[in-house]
Structure formats: C-alpha cells, structure tokens
Amino acid sequence: MGKVIYQHTNEKSFQGNPLLEALPPVMSTREAARKLIEQPDYSPDCRMASPEERLVMTQKVSRFYQPSLKDINLLADVDKCIRWGYSERNPLSADYRLRFGAGAVAREEGYSYARFIPTDGGVAVLGISGLGKTSSMRKILSLYPQIITHREYENTHFQETQVVWLHTDIPRDGSLKSLCSDFFYNIDRLCGTDFARQYAGNRTKANDMMEGLCKVALNVHLGIWVLDEFQNLCPSSRSNRVSIDTLNTIVNLVNRINVPIIMIGTPRALPIFRKELQQVKRASSQGHDYWERMEEDEEWEMFVRAMWRYQFTAIEVPLTDDLVHHIYEESVGIPFLATQLYKLVQEKAILSGSEKFDEKDIHKIANKKLGLAKPMVKALKSGKDYDLKAFLDLGPFTLEDYQYVFAENPAPPENHQAPDKQSIQSKAFKTLIGMGLSPKEVKHFLNLALANHPDCQSDSIIAREAYAEYLKKAECNEDNTKENDHEIKTAEVAIGYEENLANGTIGL
Amino acid sequence: MVSLFQFPAPYPGECLYSILCRFHERSGNRTDAASIQQLFDKRTSLRNTIYSPALIKNAGHWFEASNHLNQDFLRAEHTMLPYACSVGKCFPKQYKDEKGNPQIYYHFSRNIIHHSRKLRYCPICVQQQRNLYGEPYWQTLAQIEGVDVCPLHGEIYRTSIISTSDIAYHFYSAASVLSTHGTAEDIPDNLAMIEAHYDDCILVAKESNWLLYHKCLTRFSKDSLNCCIKSMKTFDHNFLKYHVEEYNLSQVLHLNMSGWSSENLPNIFLYCVEPYHYICFINFMFGSMDAFNKIAANELSAS
C-alpha cells in the first residue's frame, strides 16, 4: 500500500487537516477537462481490419466521453462539497471530538452545540434520462481516490481509513433499510469491515440502522455520498412513510455529521424539493443543477465532430451539416442516444456490406433500433405539455416552471390572460396526470382544489393545491392498499389519455 | 498484517484500557463483543488492561509498528509495567508461543492489581484533556493503588461509577462515563485519610509518576537495598528517631514496630508492604526515588 502524500494548502482552514491534505490538489478548468475526457485509441488503419473485428471496435463509440461546461461546473461543485465538508471535520482537532465524540453523544447539552457550524449540504442534479448525469458523476468521482488509508501524519501515529466518496442508488422502493444495507455492504467492501453483518440483519430496526449509518459514516470520514435515482424517494401511494424515513436519514447525515449529499435524479424528483421539505432543500445548499438536453448549437456540433472520429466503416463517411442535424433530430440532443445511434448505424453498414451510411440510414436505424425510446423522443420532439408530462422522467420542467409552480406566492407568468374555467381544469388535469395520479384521483382532488379556490385563475396553483391534498391523504392513510395501477406509467399514459378523451372521461 | 481499519494514537499517560475504549468508539462496531473479537480473535476479559501489558502480545495486527507506536512503546508508556518492575511487584517469565518463538510474560504480583477498584480521575486533568484533545481519557497513574492525588494539580482523585470488575467485557470510555456523571460528586471513601496525610500522598503520587515514566536502573531487591545502606547501625538509629518523633510515616506504613530490625527490612518490603510504603521508606532513606536509583546503580556496578 503506498504511503499517503500530504500536500499543504494555502487555504488556512484546510491546513493541519490530514483528510484534506491527502486529497489531490484543486484542478484548473483545463486540467479537469483533460482528465475527464475519455478518448479510446483510434487509428484510421482500423478500417483495414475484418468486418468482424470492426464490429467489435464499434463499441468504442459508447466509451467515448467528452465533458461539457456543465460537467466542469459539476466537478467544481463536487470539489467544494468534499473539501468544505471535511474542513469542519478535522479528526486531529479538539473541536471534532467535542462535537462528534462519545461525550457529545452522551451529553444532552454542552460542547457539541456550543458553536453553530453551517453545513455545506450538497448538490441536486436533475435532468431527463440519458443526459449523462450518472456517467459524468462517475467520471468526476474517478478523479478522487475512493479510499485513503492513513498510517502516519506529521510524525505521529494516525491510523485512519478515509472513504472520500460513495456512490449508491436509492432502492426502487425507497426503503430506509435497503438504503442502509447498501451503504454497509459498500463500506465493508471498501474497508474490509463487517458492518453489514452487525447492522443489516433482518431483525435490526430501521432506527438502529440509521444510527449505525451515521456512526459508521463519521468513523470512516465519509467525504460525500452520491445518491442516484433520487426520484425513487418521490412520495407515492405505495411508499410514503418509507420514503419520508429515508429522506429524514439523508437529512440527518447532513445536519448531524456534516456529510454532503449529492442527489441525482430525474424531474420526477422535483416534488421532493417542495417547500414543506425545507430540510431537503437545505441538504442541497450548493443549489440545484438542472440539466437540459443539448441545443442544436456549436456545442452539439463539437460533440458530434468529436464522436465522428470513431468511425469503423471501410468507406469513410464525412460529417456534413445535414448529418449533424439529422442525428440531432433523432436523438433530440441526448448524448447517450446520439452515441448509440452512431454506433448502431455503423454496425448496420458493416453487417450489410455497404460500409457506408447516410441520413436515411440514420432515420431507419432510429425507428428500428431505438424503438423503446421512441415514445419519449416523440414527446420531446413534439414539445407539447401533455405529451411530455406523461413521461415523468422528462421535462418540460424548466427551472422557471419549477419555481413558478412551487413558489410561496407565485406570480402569474407574463402575458397572462385570464383563462376560462374549462381551460384551467384541463390544464391542471394534464399536469396531475403527468405527476403520476390516476384519472380517478385527479378528478377527486381537482374538484376539492377547485372547491377550495373557486376564484383561482391559475391552473398551476390549482394543480399544486390538488397535489397537496393528494399527499395529505396519502400520509394519513398508512395502509393504502388501494389499487393505483395507473399511477406511474410511461408510454401507456399517452394511450390512456387518448382513450379517456375519446370516451368522455375527461373533457376539453 | 494490520487488520484494523483504524487505531487511535495514545494520549500521554493513557492506560491501555482507555486506548482500547477509544478504538471501540471509532470502530463503528455495534457491540463490545464485536470489538473484543476484532482485537483478540476471541472473547477476552479486559480487566487486566488497566494495569498489565499481557494483552499487548495481540497488538501485532492492531497497527503497523513504527517509531511512533509499537508494542514496546505501549508496554513502557501505557501500562503499569515500569512501575511494577521498579517496586518489585512484577516478574518477567519466559515462555514459547505456538510457533516456538520466545516471548516474555510479565507476572504481576497479587497486591498490585485490585479487581474491585473504581476507575479514578483528576477533574482538572479531565478539563485540560477536553480542551486539548476534545475528550478525556483514563490515566494509568490514577489507577495505581496508593496514589490518591494528582501529582500535577494536587487534586484528590475522584472515583467514577465504573469498577475494574465492570469493565471485564465492556468498553467504558472516560468520554462517555464522565460526560453523563458529575465531576464534583465522586468523592473517594478514604478522603479523611488523604486529607490527614496530604503531604505524604503528594510525595507518593510524585514518586509513582517518576517510577512510571523513568527507566529505573535498578529494581527493588534485597541486593539493591543492602548495598545502599552502608551503616545499618546509623540507619537503625535514624529510623527509630524518626519513628519515635511520631512522623506521619509510621501511620502510613502501618508497620508493627515491635520485632523490627534493619536486617529484616528487605524481606518486609518485598513481601509485606504496599508499593507506596516502599516509596515512603526510600524517600526517608535516600531523599527520593531518583537518588536511590542512582546510588543503587553505582553501588551495584561497582560491586
């Protein structure tokens, strides 16, 4: 095991802290971009290889990664979270033991709360699937050592294990026990401990697991915890109580032991940041980072040009503006779809023997091979509200939408014209359908909201109030075994909506 | 090979048991049994870790030995071994382990280990430890029988609620015990005696501290004592005069003066009295442990 090299920093609050001094130095933007780029090796000579070999090589397109400005910004946020999170947790300082030691746990008042330490909670990264949030995060995390084993610091014995980052997915059911178990298993894998056996047994209560999690996270000096698939914590009829407990655990980590949390999720996670869950908002004190699809602009062109290099057909297909546009059209600015499309079109060209392709091939492959994503792509292309909201993982939530819908006293948007009641009702209906409620539930809670706010002119406020009523009811009803098979749908909702429209269940 | 993912650096004057308590807190283990298993690979009583270095033989996998921390350092600085050897209450014995390697076992005589004794602390030391390290710890010196006051601050040691029998299979760190119980109320039972003989107690405390952390050139034995007393006649005279003048020492020593003679002295001290009696006697004879140590070393090397 290599010896840890401690690098002294200029920042005074970082000095004398072995956890910080063992981290790699802060990188410049250029250096960061250089480290994040992943460019599999390529040579034009590979076109001479056999078709079978070139088919294997096309996989390199999937491995290609080019960071954008938002990746660099995310790296900066993550770096801030790690360093400032550690700045208040120097294990060599008396203050650390006073705040987190056994004495602080045992006492009900005293040193541990003597000084208010503002916490740098974390970052929330939200965006539709396929934009590369998880890939970017994994790349960024790879720039830091995951585990540092200290033996000696400044000629004194300092035997500690530091886990700089941990990346786990929120379980699908959002359960606290599953999340804690994942945590303990990961720590055991990294540190060679047996916390999973001690804490994650079947008979262990969730509260005990939560306490154990906080204790272990503190003892391994956890830098940041990246929680992916954060939308799985979105309160739903199935798992309201469970999700809230898990959320509380996450917030506890931030509040009690200053571990920053990075939350990655789709727009379906937006309701978690509603105003009632202030503590979760506080946990993302570095802010929300909302990732949009790429626009068809210079950045997109740069991306496609960089990707185009990885071409394995025997005949070179030069990149034209038309091709750039058609790829954008089929992938709607989602880098993952673009790379997949490019890879698949090449494979088709190699397999068919034509060894070349054009725009028509791109559209054919998109229709044939990207079929599962087709409804989503169609919705994104159409840009229509009701289509998009049918896919809970998609927009069109812009930051403005989010702020407008969930703000305390939202101001009506500009150029607002007083809509008629039918229009308000139908728009609110579409919004609520998009948020996962069944038509039956929507009708019930919508009527409730309209009755409570008869003079309201905003469909967004009506939708919000209706959703609040829905959540209130779900919280009261712990044994909700009501069938809500309609609640979270993907492509099926669009079909359900059309049927409802046709049979008069809903009216426009 | 080191198998513990963390092990705390010992604080100055901290006893081995306290170090292991802090290990348990930092380990994240849910139960005391889990920590004991990690340290010793089997269920083991922790009682002797207050005094004895016996369990340090397991320390091979606790930490990576270095100049700053190794098994010899732990024995010398964080157990009662140097003190016990100096006052003749510890006898090294050689044996061979499972692999046939020669090892030394330190046998502590019975009257240096007290199994029903409460753990003790100095309240001012505790406060200073909190300021310096953020947490207090159990000091080796405070657990020595006969040391009733803190040599640094002159404070009478307080007794905690934890006794050496309680700690058999449990970790009670000073940070958790002293945080939840008052530091002013734990008055020792022998407070009256200590206050009556306060000067002797300070003397014993200071000299015990010296014995604990200085490498004595000689340990107490018949030879070391005999070679230092040049004139038994003068000694007898001085000692009796001292005693007749009813110096406190006689009360502290609890010696039955009838039948006493200087020729019996070594046997008396080896078998009949407590280490603090021995300290008082040496102070009477030679002024200090340091002085006796130097004289004895010179005399023994000359002979």
Side-chain angles (χ1 to χ4, degrees):
Chain A
M1 194 174 297
K3 200 177 169 185
V4 177
I5 297 169
Y6 296 100
Q7 303 183 42
H8 294 285
T9 66
N10 294 327
E11 173 56 46
K12 276 190 182 164
S13 46
F14 292 175
Q15 288 169 1
N17 186 337
L19 303 179
L20 274 166
E21 292 183 1
L23 293 176
V26 179
M27 280 179 276
S28 64
T29 306
R30 187 169 286 190
E31 201 181 342
R34 201 167 46 236
K35 289 200 174 197
L36 287 174
I37 280 180
E38 187 157 349
Q39 291 177 324
D41 53 272
Y42 174 83
S43 156
D45 293 341
C46 66
R47 294 183 195 272
M48 313 286 221
S50 68
E52 295 77 21
E53 283 176 325
R54 284 185 283 120
L55 270 175
V56 172
M57 287 181 208
T58 54
Q59 195 60 31
K60 288 186 183 183
V61 178
S62 301
R63 289 171 184 261
F64 153 77
Y65 178 83
Q66 176 156 291
S68 61
L69 190 59
K70 57 178 181 280
D71 298 312
I72 305 296
N73 289 338
L74 182 60
L75 169 61
D77 285 339
V78 168
D79 195 75
K80 264 189 278 182
C81 283
I82 293 177
R83 291 181 201 274
W84 286 102
Y86 275 137
S87 68
E88 297 296 340
R89 287 187 286 146
N90 182 354
L92 296 181
S93 73
D95 192 52
Y96 178 84
R97 287 289 150 213
L98 283 172
R99 287 173 62 215
F100 301 124
V105 171
R107 287 162 70 106
E108 289 178 359
E109 88 294 321
Y111 304 108
S112 52
Y113 305 109
R115 188 160 73 95
F116 170 70
I117 309 289
T119 55
D120 294 282
V123 174
V125 180
L126 302 175
I128 63 176
S129 303
L131 288 180
K133 303 182 296 298
T134 302
S135 306
S136 292
M137 183 55 70
R138 286 194 187 277
K139 286 258 178 272
I140 287 167
L141 293 176
S142 69
L143 300 178
Y144 300 89
Q146 188 171 20
I147 182 165
I148 300 175
T149 305
H150 300 266
R151 286 282 178 259
E152 200 177 288
Y153 176 71
E154 291 196 343
N155 292 324
T156 51
H157 175 81
F158 181 67
Q159 182 174 332
E160 300 279 345
T161 300
Q162 175 185 0
V163 176
V164 180
W165 55 266
L166 197 63
H167 186 158
T168 53
D169 291 348
I170 299 279
R172 279 202 66 84
D173 59 357
S175 99
L176 174 60
K177 272 194 152 184
S178 303
L179 179 65
C180 290
S181 297
D182 279 347
F183 173 86
F184 291 127
Y185 280 118
N186 274 297
I187 295 291
D188 286 347
R189 181 179 53 82
L190 290 169
C191 302
T193 48
D194 66 342
F195 295 127
R197 185 188 60 79
Q198 294 186 51
Y199 288 103
N202 287 335
R203 292 185 183 179
T204 314
K205 292 179 190 170
N207 272 347
D208 290 340
M209 287 178 97
M210 187 173 77
E211 289 294 325
L213 190 150
C214 289
K215 187 173 164 185
V216 170
L218 185 67
N219 285 333
V220 301
H221 308 293
L222 184 59
I224 51 165
W225 192 7
V226 180
L227 291 169
D228 214 334
E229 310 296 344
F230 206 73
Q231 66 277 5
N232 289 341
L233 285 181
C234 186
S236 70
S237 59
R238 269 197 306 256
S239 57
N240 268 329
R241 187 76 253 147
V242 163
S243 302
I244 288 170
D245 282 345
T246 313
L247 273 171
N248 285 338
T249 300
I250 291 164
V251 170
N252 253 338
L253 265 178
V254 176
N255 287 343
R256 280 173 59 176
I257 60 173
N258 290 25
V259 173
I261 304 286
I262 312 282
M263 296 165 272
I264 302 177
T266 62
R268 195 149 57 94
L270 272 171
I272 295 171
F273 295 92
R274 53 176 294 179
K275 63 183 177 68
E276 281 82 3
L277 294 174
Q278 289 280 356
Q279 59 273 27
V280 180
K281 280 166 77 174
R282 184 168 170 270
S284 57
S285 60
Q286 293 295 336
H288 300 79
D289 198 0
Y290 192 80
W291 285 26
E292 302 266 13
R293 297 174 289 127
M294 290 178 81
E295 297 291 334
E296 193 176 359
D297 56 10
E298 279 178 12
E299 196 182 351
W300 174 257
E301 192 179 331
M302 261 175 54
F303 166 74
V304 175
R305 281 198 184 282
M307 178 183 74
W308 207 257
R309 181 172 170 245
Y310 295 93
Q311 200 175 92
F312 301 94
T313 50
I315 301 171
E316 186 185 345
V317 177
L319 181 64
T320 61
D321 290 343
D322 272 346
L323 281 169
V324 172
H325 170 74
H326 286 288
I327 288 178
Y328 184 86
E329 204 184 311
E330 288 302 337
S331 63
V332 285
I334 298 176
F336 170 74
L337 287 180
T339 51
Q340 289 303 300
L341 188 57
Y342 186 49
K343 182 181 80 129
L344 290 167
V345 82
Q346 287 189 66
E347 283 176 0
K348 180 72 170 57
I350 295 170
L351 279 170
S352 67
S354 64
E355 298 290 346
K356 61 179 179 178
F357 55 89
D358 57 16
E359 300 86 10
K360 286 181 193 163
D361 294 313
I362 288 173
H363 290 297
K364 266 190 212 164
I365 292 293
N367 282 332
K368 198 172 167 187
K369 294 275 190 171
L370 297 183
L372 287 176
K374 196 175 164 189
M376 182 186 81
V377 169
K378 190 178 168 190
L380 282 167
K381 274 185 190 174
S382 77
K384 290 182 186 171
D385 279 3
Y386 57 80
D387 279 341
L388 287 168
K389 283 173 179 162
F391 295 89
L392 293 168
D393 280 347
L394 305 182
F397 287 107
T398 61
L399 200 54
E400 287 72 28
D401 283 334
Y402 155 65
Q403 285 169 343
Y404 174 61
V405 171
F406 294 107
E408 184 84 45
N409 293 304
E414 287 177 8
N415 304 323
H416 176 73
Q417 290 172 10
D420 58 61
K421 202 158 184 175
Q422 277 286 64
S423 167
I424 294 171
Q425 203 173 337
S426 68
K427 283 184 179 173
F429 187 97
K430 291 170 207 166
T431 305
L432 290 166
I433 285 286
M435 291 176 85
L437 278 67
S438 66
K440 216 172 172 182
E441 284 172 331
V442 170
K443 213 174 174 183
H444 170 73
F445 291 108
L446 199 51
N447 287 338
L448 211 59
L450 286 167
N452 291 337
H453 304 275
D455 299 325
C456 182
Q457 300 294 327
S458 166
D459 60 281
S460 302
I461 296 175
I462 293 292
R464 187 184 67 181
E465 293 302 320
Y467 194 67
E469 291 294 331
Y470 161 74
L471 285 179
K472 226 186 274 181
K473 183 154 188 225
E475 276 173 11
C476 294
N477 189 6
E478 298 227 350
D479 291 315
N480 189 358
T481 53
K482 211 191 316 184
E483 265 187 311
N484 277 315
D485 295 330
H486 309 290
E487 62 228 324
I488 297 171
K489 292 182 189 281
T490 53
E492 293 171 26
V493 174
I495 298 166
Y497 167 74
E498 283 162 6
E499 276 182 355
N500 287 326
L501 195 63
N503 64 25
T505 304
I506 57 171
L508 284 174
Chain B
M1 191 188 88
V2 175
S3 65
L4 299 183
F5 84 102
Q6 60 80 29
F7 193 84
Y11 292 137
E14 187 179 18
C15 71
L16 179 62
Y17 174 72
S18 180
I19 298 170
L20 299 181
C21 285
R22 290 194 298 116
F23 157 76
H24 170 66
E25 279 168 11
R26 287 154 171 74
S27 67
N29 287 325
R30 197 175 172 194
T31 59
D32 296 337
S35 291
I36 290 175
Q37 185 67 28
Q38 277 186 3
L39 287 166
F40 305 111
D41 286 334
K42 60 180 179 180
R43 184 174 153 87
T44 302
S45 171
L46 300 169
R47 279 193 311 195
N48 285 350
T49 55
I50 293 284
Y51 310 92
S52 162
L55 293 178
I56 291 178
K57 66 181 186 233
N58 297 281
H61 72 278
W62 294 356
F63 48 78
E64 213 168 275
S66 67
N67 291 338
H68 315 297
L69 184 62
N70 51 57
Q71 292 183 31
D72 290 335
F73 179 83
L74 273 186
R75 282 193 198 97
E77 301 288 329
H78 299 284
T79 68
M80 226 176 271
L81 181 65
Y83 173 86
C85 287
S86 302
V87 298
K89 299 297 181 184
C90 175
F91 309 99
K93 288 184 178 175
Q94 283 202 350
Y95 72 101
K96 284 190 179 169
D97 63 16
E98 309 85 44
K99 294 177 186 172
N101 298 324
Q103 302 287 346
I104 296 178
Y105 171 71
Y106 295 94
H107 172 74
F108 276 51
S109 68
R110 60 174 179 80
N111 61 354
I112 203 164
I113 297 174
H114 298 264
H115 288 301
S116 56
R117 187 66 184 273
K118 302 270 191 199
L119 297 186
R120 301 188 299 173
Y121 62 94
C122 164
I124 299 179
C125 285
V126 162
Q127 191 54 46
Q128 286 182 344
Q129 287 155 11
R130 279 206 183 102
N131 291 341
L132 200 55
Y133 306 113
E135 57 184 351
Y137 53 89
W138 301 117
Q139 292 173 300
T140 311
L141 185 67
Q143 318 313 325
I144 295 178
E145 182 72 20
V147 179
D148 294 313
V149 299
C150 174
L152 284 176
H153 304 112
E155 279 286 316
I156 295 173
Y157 281 136
R158 307 290 200 269
T159 51
S160 70
I161 60 165
I162 304 296
S163 73
T164 45
S165 51
D166 292 332
I167 68 170
Y169 299 102
H170 297 285
F171 296 98
Y172 292 109
S173 69
S176 55
V177 172
L178 301 181
S179 293
T180 54
H181 296 87
T183 57
E185 291 81 23
D186 306 326
I187 307 297
D189 296 334
N190 57 346
L191 179 64
M193 191 282 286
I194 296 169
E195 283 172 345
H197 303 290
Y198 184 76
D199 290 342
D200 286 337
C201 291
I202 282 284
L203 173 79
V204 168
K206 286 183 178 173
E207 293 289 8
S208 299
N209 193 33
W210 189 91
L211 285 173
L212 198 53
Y213 299 113
H214 284 80
K215 187 171 176 173
C216 281
L217 299 170
T218 57
R219 49 184 290 251
F220 178 72
S221 66
K222 286 184 194 178
D223 293 337
S224 63
L225 191 59
N226 283 338
C227 74
C228 290
I229 301 177
K230 295 299 179 189
S231 165
M232 278 302 177
K233 208 172 173 180
T234 312
F235 170 73
D236 282 347
H237 170 76
N238 287 345
F239 190 76
L240 281 171
K241 184 182 168 191
Y242 194 70
H243 175 72
V244 165
E245 288 174 359
E246 293 179 2
Y247 182 64
N248 289 339
L249 188 62
S250 63
Q251 296 178 40
V252 174
L253 289 178
H254 302 297
L255 285 173
N256 181 3
M257 297 310 294
S258 64
W260 176 90
S261 75
S262 58
E263 285 169 4
N264 287 337
L265 197 63
N267 287 332
I268 290 170
F269 277 98
L270 275 175
Y271 301 117
C272 302
V273 302
E274 301 289 341
Y276 52 88
H277 298 158
Y278 161 70
I279 289 170
C280 290
F281 175 73
I282 294 295
N283 265 270
F284 165 76
M285 284 186 58
F286 300 98
S288 69
M289 293 304 303
D290 190 10
F292 166 65
N293 188 44
K294 283 173 185 161
I295 294 169
N298 285 339
E299 293 298 328
L300 282 172
S301 62
S303 63

